């Protein structure tokens, strides 16, 4: 059981591999497991699902990222793209190699950056299947690689947290979850 403590914007997030979900301890003392589908509405929290991937194509590795946002517009808003690794290229945020982890971190970065254009009074819940990304974002883990990208993600998280309450939730991959 991992605890990220208060580093996750006013909640305690605990990821438990045995229970296949994440326990969120809210400041009001309520606890809830997030491993079942969540209702999405226009007056509750905005839900964002992030993911990244890397694959070899014709002998070279390519990484991509994506995010789906529910609760902003109708029915869903999708953003995504390639992980940019060239320091002087447009969209470069610190990834020096196209890997699954840089895809996951890039998805989190762009989702947090994009969240600045959404209604600020509503809380934001971000789901990711990457414990690495959630812990790097929250500052619970110190990265050993991807340092510039990790710094950019943490800065985006701090900035977005000034505008709204943000909850980070671990969602297991390949479990039939629609998003």
């Amino acid at each position: 059981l991992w605890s990220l403590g208060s580093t996750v914007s006013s909640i305690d997030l605990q990821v438990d591999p045995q229970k296949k979900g994440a326990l969120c301890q809210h400041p009001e003392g309520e606890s809830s497991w997030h491993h079942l589908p969540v209702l999405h509405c226009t007056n509750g929290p905005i839900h964002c699902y992030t993911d990244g991937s890397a694959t070899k194509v014709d002998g070279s590795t390519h990484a991509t990222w994506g995010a789906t946002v529910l609760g902003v517009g109708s029915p869903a808003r999708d953003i995504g793209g390639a992980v940019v690794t060239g320091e002087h290229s447009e969209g470069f945020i610190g990834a020096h190699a196209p890997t699954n982890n840089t895809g996951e971190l890039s998805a989190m970065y762009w989702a947090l950056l994009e969240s600045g254009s959404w209604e600020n009074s509503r809380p934001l819940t971000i789901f990711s299947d990457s414990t690495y990304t959630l812990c790097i974002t929250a500052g619970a883990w110190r990265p050993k690689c991807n340092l510039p990208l990790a710094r950019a993600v943490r800065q985006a998280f701090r900035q977005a947290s000034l505008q709204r309450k943000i909850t980070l939730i671990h969602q297991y991959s390949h479990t039939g979850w629609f998003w």
Side-chain angles (χ1 to χ4, degrees):
L1 195 68
W2 300 292
S3 177
L4 302 181
S6 62
T7 60
V8 184
S9 192
S10 302
I11 66 149
D12 184 36
L13 171 67
Q14 297 179 3
V15 180
D16 187 346
Q18 300 302 321
K19 294 188 179 180
K20 297 193 178 206
L23 174 69
C24 286
Q25 180 70 45
H26 300 271
E28 300 82 31
E30 299 173 25
S31 296
S32 57
W33 277 100
H34 291 270
H35 65 286
L36 299 173
V38 179
L39 290 175
H40 304 284
C41 56
T42 56
N43 59 358
I46 297 168
H47 292 142
C48 182
Y49 299 84
T50 64
D51 204 3
S53 67
T55 186
K56 282 201 180 244
V57 177
D58 297 326
S60 62
T61 304
H62 301 274
T64 56
W65 62 270
T68 296
V69 183
L70 301 170
V72 176
S74 178
R77 177 169 164 67
D78 293 317
I79 57 174
V83 172
V84 178
T85 57
E87 277 191 53
H88 302 291
S89 300
E90 183 179 345
F92 178 75
I93 56 173
H96 290 290
T99 67
N100 186 67
N101 281 341
T102 59
E104 297 280 1
L105 287 168
S106 294
M108 181 66 72
Y109 174 85
W110 291 109
L112 289 164
L113 192 69
E114 180 77 10
S115 74
S117 66
W118 307 331
E119 184 183 331
N120 287 339
S121 63
R122 293 173 53 206
L124 170 62
T125 301
I126 301 177
F127 297 84
S128 173
D129 64 357
S130 171
T131 302
Y132 170 80
T133 296
L134 293 171
C135 291
I136 294 295
T137 301
W141 289 358
R142 290 186 181 169
K144 294 182 177 143
C145 56
N146 305 316
L147 297 178
L149 180 55
R151 279 192 292 273
V153 171
R154 284 185 181 166
Q155 177 60 32
F157 179 71
R158 282 192 296 273
Q159 192 66 34
S161 294
L162 296 175
Q163 298 175 7
R164 70 177 80 244
K165 177 184 175 189
I166 300 176
T167 304
L168 302 175
I169 302 290
H170 181 261
Q171 173 59 49
Y172 283 83
S173 60
H174 310 286
T175 58
W177 185 270
F178 184 76
W179 301 105

